Amino acid sequence: MSKWMVMVLALIGGAAQADTVRCKDALITEGDSTALLVVKCGPPLLKEDLTRFEENGFGARITVKYGERWTYNFGKQRFMQMVTVVNGTVTEIENGPVGE
């Protein structure tokens, strides 16, 4: 696929759903463990906490971490992969922009 075509797809698609992450010769899918993800793909480029606001028993608004978003950059010829992790399990995989 030409570089131009990859750029067009990146602009049109934005962050699109992906069913799997391909790391070298391995595939990671939703439901796989983070241990398997790290063994097959290595550590992510970036880990971001996913948080939400909840009300505690005293009525105070608190921030609660419920998961993480891991970003993988596999180079210029592939889309970055954003993997959502909750309780040690891959729950969502999204295509990001073209990597660098």
Side-chain angles (χ1 to χ4, degrees), residues 16-95:
Q17 289 298 112
D19 296 324
T20 60
V21 174
R22 178 174 295 280
C23 305
K24 302 173 191 142
D25 295 332
L27 290 177
I28 297 295
T29 60
E30 292 176 7
D32 286 344
S33 71
T34 53
L36 185 64
L37 176 62
V38 171
V39 166
K40 291 187 175 185
C41 299
L45 171 70
L46 176 67
K47 285 185 185 181
E48 301 171 277
D49 289 342
L50 298 175
T51 60
R52 64 176 169 243
F53 293 107
E54 293 184 2
E55 192 173 296
N56 68 12
F58 301 103
R61 190 172 167 181
I62 59 172
T63 303
V64 176
K65 177 182 170 181
Y66 68 90
E68 295 179 325
R69 178 164 295 123
W70 295 12
T71 302
Y72 284 89
N73 182 355
F74 297 114
K76 293 181 179 182
Q77 300 300 316
R78 295 182 55 195
F79 291 104
M80 289 184 172
Q81 299 292 298
M82 274 75 95
V83 180
T84 302
V85 173
V86 177
N87 295 325
T89 302
V90 174
T91 60
E92 185 177 13
I93 300 169
E94 297 176 280
N95 288 329

